[in-house]
């Protein structure tokens, strides 16, 4: 994924019927109507994530358990493990114009969404052939229909540059030739534009005090190949067209909590054609009291959890989730930890 929302990962990977703010740029654009009811400007929202292997290895390097000056020992230690890290940022020019009953529409746009991720040696000594850099703008428009505003539809257009790795860059090269590696050695560079479509509908009845909202989104509708920027690089792999669908239940009247919601979704349908459908299953929820937020769920068969202090101008968030590295759930978990600080006005 070019973007991972920290709220979504804590809620089991759900976002088609629960996403808000930045999550909707690569989720369901119709959800923009549920953004905050005031103009919102994100100045900074750096997010960092690392998996357990990377976290433990950094600890072992800093305390001297692993010595990088012993190349053969370091290679033996690293071999057979997956090391993952990501940095994301949508600021400083990300704006949200909220939905209001007298206007029926909502807008959101970001001039520069940046995501840098790196995976080393998921299988053997190779660097996984997935993006290490995604950067570009996104624009979302959503509108409600009917007198009760129960139907919402949305559109997101995004344009981006992607730099991607090749399988030939291995741990041995990185450890022994780090000073001589150049950008061209990583192999893939291109740019493309595409768009997402989505809709949600709030059903005209409730279930034990919970409103019910099914929804769906089609991402990368054109599935357009990347365009070549320079002949020195090959173009990255084409992002597939995917379908996400599901339903959420939400209420503002559960005990003393301000808002509580749960969701069950199937996402990335079309991207895992040879694997198990259970890898596409996500469910989770969130409950909040004032500025305190608790989240939890299940992503691809692995439990997730998170917490946040969500203030008007500053938000601090943490998430832990598991993802499946194989085509079928339950075979190879990669446990990832995320943290984000958001400054907004």
């Amino acid at each position: 994924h070019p973007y991972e929302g920290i709220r979504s990962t804590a809620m089991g990977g759900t976002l088609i019927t629960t996403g808000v703010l930045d999550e909707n740029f690569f989720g369901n654009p119709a959800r923009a109507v549920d953004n905050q009811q005031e103009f919102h400007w994100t100045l900074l929202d750096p997010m960092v994530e690392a998996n357990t292997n990377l976290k433990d290895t950094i600890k072992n390097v800093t305390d001297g358990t692993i010595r990088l000056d012993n190349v053969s020992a370091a290679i033996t230690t690293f071999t057979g493990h997956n090391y993952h890290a990501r940095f994301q940022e949508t600021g400083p020019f990300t704006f949200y114009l909220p939905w209001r009953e007298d206007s029926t529409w909502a807008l959101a746009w970001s001039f520069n969404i940046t995501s840098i991720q790196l995976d080393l040696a998921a299988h053997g000594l190779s660097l996984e052939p997935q993006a290490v850099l995604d950067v570009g703008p996104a624009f979302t428009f959503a509108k409600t229909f009917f007198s009760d505003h129960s139907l919402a539809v949305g559109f997101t257009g995004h344009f981006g540059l992607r730099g991607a790795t090749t399988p030939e860059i291995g741990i041995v090269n990185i450890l022994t030739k780090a000073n001589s590696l150049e950008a061209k050695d990583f192999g893939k560079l291109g740019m493309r534009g595409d768009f997402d479509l989505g809709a949600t509908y709030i059903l005209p009845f409730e279930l034990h005090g919970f409103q019910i909202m099914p929804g769906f989104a089609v991402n990368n509708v054109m599935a357009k190949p990347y365009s070549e920027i320079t002949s020195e690089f090959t173009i990255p792999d084409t992002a597939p067209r995917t379908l996400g669908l599901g339903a959420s239940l939400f209420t503002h009247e559960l005990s003393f909590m301000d808002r509580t919601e749960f969701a069950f979704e199937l996402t990335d349908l079309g991207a895992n054609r040879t694997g198990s459908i259970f890898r596409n299953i996500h469910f989770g929820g969130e409950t909040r009291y004032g500025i305190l937020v608790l989240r939890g769920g299940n992503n691809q068969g692995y439990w997730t959890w998170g917490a946040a202090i969500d203030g008007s101008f500053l938000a601090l968030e943490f998430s832990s989730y598991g993802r499946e590295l194989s085509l079928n759930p339950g075979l190879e978990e990669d446990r990832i930890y995320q943290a984000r600080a958001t400054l907004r006005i």
Side-chain angles (χ1 to χ4, degrees):
H1 291 151
Y3 191 83
E4 289 283 6
I6 190 169
R7 177 175 176 268
S8 170
T9 59
M11 295 171 63
T14 59
L15 79 165
I16 302 300
T17 58
T18 61
V20 295
L21 300 175
D22 56 293
E23 295 174 329
N24 300 327
F25 288 128
F26 294 95
N28 187 350
R31 288 287 301 153
V33 301
D34 203 40
N35 286 338
Q36 296 179 353
Q37 298 300 301
E38 297 177 358
F39 174 78
H40 186 98
W41 177 11
T42 298
L43 299 174
L44 292 170
D45 63 346
M47 190 275 286
V48 294
E49 72 175 26
N51 70 350
T52 301
N53 289 332
L54 180 60
K55 179 175 66 70
D56 292 344
T57 298
I58 292 175
K59 178 181 180 297
N60 291 335
V61 169
T62 55
D63 65 18
T65 304
I66 297 177
R67 295 179 58 86
L68 295 181
D69 55 357
N70 187 336
V71 175
S72 61
I75 291 176
T76 301
T77 301
F78 293 155
T79 299
H81 299 289
N82 177 63
Y83 298 89
H84 171 82
R86 181 197 292 259
F87 171 82
Q88 273 182 189
E89 172 67 60
T90 68
F93 300 111
T94 300
F95 304 92
Y96 304 92
L97 287 178
W99 169 85
R100 298 179 184 279
E101 290 191 11
D102 58 352
S103 64
T104 74
W105 54 265
L107 296 176
W109 68 96
S110 178
F111 289 99
N112 189 31
I113 298 175
T114 301
S115 176
I116 302 172
Q117 57 181 318
L118 180 64
D119 282 85
L120 287 173
H123 303 285
L125 298 177
S126 65
L127 184 67
E128 286 191 345
Q130 72 176 66
V132 295
L133 171 66
D134 282 287
V135 58
F139 173 82
T140 295
F141 172 81
K143 181 175 174 57
T144 61
F145 295 88
F146 304 145
S147 59
D148 59 357
H149 309 286
S150 57
L151 175 66
V153 298
F155 165 92
T156 293
H158 33 78
F159 180 83
L161 177 146
R162 169 170 285 194
T165 60
T166 59
E168 289 74 22
I169 298 297
I171 291 179
V172 174
N173 289 329
I174 291 176
L175 290 177
T176 61
K177 301 179 181 179
N179 295 332
S180 61
L181 287 176
E182 299 179 5
K184 65 181 181 181
D185 295 316
F186 290 88
K188 298 183 180 183
L189 185 67
M191 62 176 58
R192 68 188 290 268
D194 212 327
F195 64 94
D196 307 329
L197 297 174
T200 60
Y201 179 67
I202 301 176
L203 298 181
F205 56 87
E206 295 184 356
L207 178 65
H208 300 293
F210 282 84
Q211 292 182 279
I212 307 170
M213 182 174 63
F216 77 92
V218 181
N219 301 104
N220 299 315
V221 173
M222 296 189 296
K224 182 180 178 182
Y226 283 88
S227 299
E228 184 180 82
I229 297 177
T230 171
S231 59
E232 293 185 9
F233 297 89
T234 59
I235 61 174
D237 298 333
T238 301
R241 181 186 303 111
T242 60
L243 170 67
L245 51 88
S248 64
L249 290 82
F250 62 95
T251 181
H252 296 274
E253 301 175 353
L254 182 64
S255 186
F256 57 87
M257 308 308 292
D258 295 327
R259 179 183 171 97
T260 300
E261 60 184 314
F262 304 97
F264 179 89
E265 298 178 355
L266 297 173
T267 64
D268 291 327
L269 297 173
N272 187 33
R273 297 175 185 269
T274 60
S276 170
I277 186 64
F278 292 102
R279 196 172 183 269
N280 302 99
I281 293 177
H282 311 269
F283 59 88
E286 174 188 84
T287 189
R288 60 174 59 224
Y289 176 73
I291 64 172
L292 302 178
V293 185
L294 293 177
R295 299 161 181 158
N298 190 283
N299 177 68
Q300 300 179 338
Y302 301 109
W303 294 108
T304 67
W305 60 274
I309 300 175
D310 191 14
S312 299
F313 303 101
L314 176 67
L316 301 175
E317 300 170 271
F318 180 82
S319 170
S320 172
Y321 71 100
R323 63 172 181 172
E324 180 56 58
L325 293 179
S326 71
L327 293 177
N328 299 291
L331 297 180
E332 191 174 0
E333 179 189 10
D334 190 26
R335 173 59 52 174
I336 296 175
Y337 302 90
Q338 296 177 312
R340 181 171 75 171
T342 302
L343 180 63
R344 59 201 179 200
I345 58 176

